[in-house]
Amino acid sequence: MVSIPGWLRLMRFVSLLLGAVVVSWPAGAQALTDWQTFTDAGTGYQVTYPHGWQVREQAAPNVSFYAGTAWAAAPAVVQLTSQPLPASRLNQPPLAADPADSVWQALLLLPQVRVVRLDQHDAGPYQELHYEYTYADTAARTRVVGRLLWRGGYQFQLEYRAAAAHDAQYLAAGRQLVASFGFVGPGRPSRRYADQLCDDKLYGIAALRVHDGIWEDDCRTIHEFAAADLTAPPRVHRRVLPFQSYALAKGFDNCLYSVTKSPTDQPERVYRYNPTTRQGGYTTWELPAQGSGNVWISAATDVRGNLLFITNDANLLVRVSPVTDSVTVVWGRDPLRNAPYFPAVGFAGAGTHANFCLDDTGTLYEVYSTNGTLLKIDLHTQQPAPAPLPLTGLPAQGGYSDLLMQQDTSGRRRLYVAGPKSVYEIDLARQQATYVRRGVYTDLAGCNLFRPNQAASLPVPPSPPAATWLGRVLAADSQAPLPQARLSVVGPGTSAAGRTLTAAGEFLVTGVPAQPYQVRVQLPGYLPLDTVYQLPAGPSFQDIVLRPLHPGVLLRLDNVEFEQGKAVLLPSSAPDLNRLVDLLATSPELTIELRGHTDNQGDPQLNVQLSEQRVAVVKAYLVSHGVAAERITGLGLGGIEPRASNEQEATRRLNRRVEFRITGGL
């Protein structure tokens, strides 16, 4: 098993940085029928692992899968861990801080690191980051393949780790195991604010209470009602606010948010109360100073779950966003001042008209405290309606303190107004009020009006960002940067001109996601690279590795393959063979030894003969393309040096190959 210290260093760093999964299986991986399934329904994930691997369950939901029979000496390990995100990152978009760049910077601190893959992806219900790299923590190189996924306020990490020398035995299975991770079922309830579902309960701050038989001011007790029946006795949360308050809003998390009514003209912190646990505490959100002589008189919730607070003169409306953890001023001057009827409600000594609620279209309803008249403002344009909306059926004594639009269990929309001694329901079409129940409330709070429309009202996801590829050109043997290399990347949005590398061998390519880019890299003394790379959306990080050309170096021809049991080249072999022809043409002094291999099927001696025949076929191809025959020697090795497992046809085909070794000329 690989040494742990380097792994721990990196994972500590990454952990600080930082629906179903569509799975694509890596080339050469085993068929799923040969795999077993591990499911954690409580956490909500499933993963498959190969027969012969062992499972080591740890503190739920963490688990490890390992090759071999003993955990302590396992040559390859895949570890799966999950942990809740800290509160500071809980409601932030996981990819907003560009974790791929943070991980890239961390990887560059590892010795002789080569980044094979590093990219991030927003899949909607979850976000993820893929990575693969090798590094030399000791004399041996270690390969790491992993995925970081974020869902519901939790971070999941699946990571394969083994010595790079074991790639032929375990890498294909490790990649497949990591790729197999998928979310199944609901799993744990989401901890993210935007994922919560507002319930049907509504609340009010009780203005009065009876103490020793005498009515006195309260403004700290909260009454809880079911939307289906506002006439039923409330559940009382007695004096649960640490201050007297006029303003109460209900968040999508079914917690209540309030602020003191004291006219301090100082920034005020918002208080959160959880009616389920009956626990509360101050948040980090701070409302700005409300102005001399003013108090925060009313609060409401909008279609995105934001909390809005307003002062009694209506000249300051503030939005608190639990999702972005921000506080912003919506307006600093009462829009109703632009209405022709403002003098009738805004004269000196008039009652307040700031108590308000919101509907799902962005219409803000205010109630004039003197007579219960409704006033409307388009919150998007901040334009008032041309005329007020008077109501019939309300007492004339005044003291109207709040509005709330709510849905009952049948989906019917109801508008309530808190009056001087009672709560009334408003029929907007008839402009008529009907008595519902007794009670004096400074503010009403609820948010189930937005539940059915929440998904439709969310912002349209932005179009995929431009693709950016940051990487380095490195030497395969030492992982040293090769800043002298000539690099060209040709594709949509790029030019054919060569790119200048930094002293660290770095380059940056900007292009179009999911489009092919022809990549060519050349440097004397190294095998030229000519391949096609497809850029993923957003930022990605991947190094380019050049193989050195000096006597004794063994180089693979990855795509030179043969029909099973025959010395017949597959058509896919031509590009690699043509590149070898070009290399020998541009380096006329170079001599090589072709080395033929087979899988382990059949008679070993016949396999040696078959591998010799395959070497002869490749040599004939090179000679037919102008390479002198005396520059090429050959060796048939049969099946004694497999590159991958011989247990499945998908991997046996990788063993039917020809490689070449530099024998001289450099």
Side-chain angles (χ1 to χ4, degrees):
M1 187 174 174
V2 297
S3 61
I4 296 299
W7 165 53
L8 288 177
R9 287 201 306 273
L10 180 61
M11 286 305 100
R12 288 194 188 106
F13 188 92
V14 172
S15 64
L16 291 173
L17 300 176
L18 304 176
V21 175
V22 178
V23 176
S24 58
W25 304 112
Q30 296 178 14
L32 279 179
T33 54
D34 300 313
W35 287 52
Q36 304 173 85
T37 299
F38 182 93
T39 303
D40 185 334
T43 306
Y45 73 79
Q46 180 175 287
V47 68
T48 57
Y49 64 98
H51 282 289
W53 284 51
Q54 310 300 317
V55 179
R56 183 174 188 260
E57 295 193 54
Q58 299 155 284
N62 302 331
V63 64
S64 295
F65 308 88
Y66 62 95
T69 58
W71 163 255
V77 174
V78 175
Q79 292 191 310
L80 194 161
T81 60
S82 175
Q83 60 185 359
L85 289 171
S88 60
R89 293 178 51 209
L90 181 59
N91 291 307
Q92 301 300 316
L95 303 183
D98 194 3
D101 182 67
S102 299
V103 175
W104 167 262
Q105 298 300 330
L107 294 181
L108 295 184
L109 301 177
L110 294 175
Q112 297 186 41
V113 67
R114 174 200 169 192
V115 180
V116 179
R117 179 187 184 185
L118 178 56
D119 57 77
Q120 57 196 36
H121 171 59
D122 189 343
Y126 64 93
Q127 295 73 43
E128 66 176 314
L129 183 147
H130 295 256
Y131 58 90
E132 180 175 348
Y133 61 92
T134 66
Y135 71 101
D137 195 28
T138 58
R141 294 193 67 76
T142 298
R143 183 177 298 275
V144 182
V145 181
R147 292 169 69 191
L148 279 166
L149 302 99
W150 298 273
R151 186 178 80 157
Y154 295 90
Q155 176 177 287
F156 298 82
Q157 184 167 27
L158 196 70
E159 185 175 274
Y160 163 88
R161 183 171 292 269
H166 295 322
D167 281 357
Q169 297 167 276
Y170 304 113
L171 180 56
R175 283 176 174 158
Q176 183 170 330
L177 200 162
V178 170
S180 74
F181 177 91
F183 292 114
V184 293
R188 292 174 291 195
S190 175
R191 300 170 58 238
R192 288 172 54 81
Y193 178 85
D195 295 336
Q196 307 305 309
L197 188 65
C198 185
D199 62 27
D200 288 320
K201 295 174 183 176
L202 61 89
Y203 300 84
I205 298 178
L208 301 172
R209 70 170 184 148
V210 177
H211 181 64
D212 293 334
I214 301 174
W215 286 96
E216 65 181 21
D217 288 345
D218 188 338
C219 300
R220 293 175 59 187
T221 294
I222 295 175
H223 287 186
E224 176 184 309
F225 300 92
D229 186 8
L230 205 63
T231 63
R235 180 188 182 196
V236 178
H237 299 257
R238 198 170 306 280
R239 298 179 69 80
V240 293
L241 296 178
F243 43 68
Q244 290 189 317
S245 177
Y246 291 152
L248 188 71
K250 180 184 177 185
F252 282 178
D253 56 359
N254 297 308
C255 290
L256 302 175
Y257 296 85
S258 186
V259 68
T260 178
K261 72 179 183 67
S262 300
T264 59
D265 195 22
Q266 295 291 325
E268 296 286 350
R269 290 177 66 187
V270 177
Y271 186 82
R272 179 195 289 114
Y273 173 70
N274 188 330
T276 302
T277 63
R278 291 181 175 259
Q279 300 294 316
Y282 282 96
T283 69
T284 58
W285 307 321
E286 197 170 72
L287 304 188
Q290 67 267 51
S292 178
N294 282 314
V295 299
W296 297 104
I297 198 170
S298 185
T301 310
D302 72 8
V303 72
R304 293 188 175 88
N306 298 316
L307 316 170
L308 289 93
F309 295 84
I310 197 169
T311 54
N312 61 288
D313 64 358
N315 275 328
L316 183 59
L317 180 66
V318 176
R319 178 187 294 115
V320 176
S321 173
V323 174
T324 61
D325 205 32
S326 62
V327 179
T328 57
V329 173
V330 178
W331 70 55
R333 182 179 184 274
D334 182 8
L336 216 63
R337 291 177 177 272
N338 299 324
Y341 53 83
F342 179 75
V345 297
F347 58 89
T352 180
H353 58 269
N355 292 287
F356 76 106
C357 74
L358 290 160
D359 72 6
D360 52 349
T361 68
T363 299
L364 185 148
Y365 291 82
E366 295 180 326
V367 59
Y368 183 37
S369 64
T370 301
N371 60 14
T373 296
L374 300 185
L375 314 169
K376 295 166 63 176
I377 298 173
D378 186 322
L379 192 60
H380 304 298
T381 64
Q382 298 188 17
Q383 293 299 312
L389 193 67
L391 303 174
T392 61
L394 291 175
Q397 68 264 40
Y400 297 96
S401 57
D402 198 35
L403 293 164
L404 176 65
M405 196 170 286
Q406 186 86 344
Q407 287 194 122
D408 62 21
T409 53
S410 65
R412 178 185 170 188
R413 183 170 304 195
R414 298 176 181 271
L415 177 63
Y416 298 108
V417 59
K421 294 182 180 179
S422 307
V423 177
Y424 298 84
E425 183 179 345
I426 308 301
D427 184 332
L428 283 174
R430 299 168 58 191
Q431 297 179 220
Q432 186 173 26
T434 303
Y435 171 87
V436 176
R437 66 167 296 111
R438 290 189 61 81
V440 183
Y441 299 98
T442 67
D443 211 12
L444 302 175
C447 56
N448 80 350
L449 175 70
F450 309 121
R451 186 169 59 204
N453 304 298
Q454 181 179 349
S457 67
L458 293 177
V460 177
S463 57
T468 57
W469 173 19
L470 177 62
R472 301 169 298 167
V473 178
L474 305 175
D477 52 353
S478 65
Q479 306 302 313
L482 301 174
Q484 298 83 18
R486 290 186 297 164
L487 167 67
S488 70
V489 181
V490 180
T494 66
S495 66
R499 296 175 179 270
T500 301
L501 307 182
T502 69
E506 291 181 320
F507 60 87
L508 178 65
V509 175
T510 300
V512 181
Q515 295 297 311
Y517 287 80
Q518 188 71 35
V519 179
R520 294 183 175 89
V521 190
Q522 291 180 308
L523 182 64
Y526 290 85
L527 181 67
L529 181 141
D530 187 349
T531 189
V532 175
Y533 184 74
Q534 192 175 70
L535 301 181
S540 64
F541 305 79
Q542 181 169 329
D543 291 328
I544 294 174
V545 176
L546 295 185
R547 302 172 184 175
L549 296 175
H550 55 75
V553 169
L554 182 67
L555 299 169
R556 295 204 309 253
L557 296 170
D558 287 329
N559 297 314
V560 175
E561 297 174 342
F562 299 84
E563 293 182 11
Q564 185 174 7
K566 300 178 182 179
V568 177
L569 286 165
L570 295 177
S572 58
S573 302
D576 267 11
L577 291 176
N578 291 338
R579 278 190 284 271
L580 180 54
V581 169
D582 291 341
L583 172 65
L584 293 170
T586 55
S587 303
E589 70 287 356
L590 199 65
T591 59
I592 64 171
E593 174 189 66
L594 295 174
R595 299 166 64 86
H597 303 269
T598 68
D599 57 32
N600 68 347
Q601 304 299 293
D603 182 86
Q605 185 57 42
L606 293 178
N607 284 340
V608 171
Q609 296 175 14
L610 178 59
S611 64
E612 291 172 343
Q613 293 169 3
R614 288 173 173 172
V615 165
V617 167
V618 172
K619 180 174 180 178
Y621 185 98
L622 299 177
V623 171
S624 69
H625 285 73
V627 181
E630 59 270 18
R631 298 173 60 191
I632 307 169
T633 59
L635 179 64
L637 298 170
I640 64 173
E641 293 183 3
R643 175 181 163 192
S645 170
N646 276 303
E647 295 181 3
Q648 301 291 329
E649 170 57 23
T651 50
R652 279 198 297 269
R653 63 189 292 269
L654 300 178
N655 295 327
R656 301 191 291 267
R657 71 199 190 278
V658 170
E659 301 166 330
F660 71 95
R661 186 171 64 88
I662 306 296
T663 56
L666 292 175

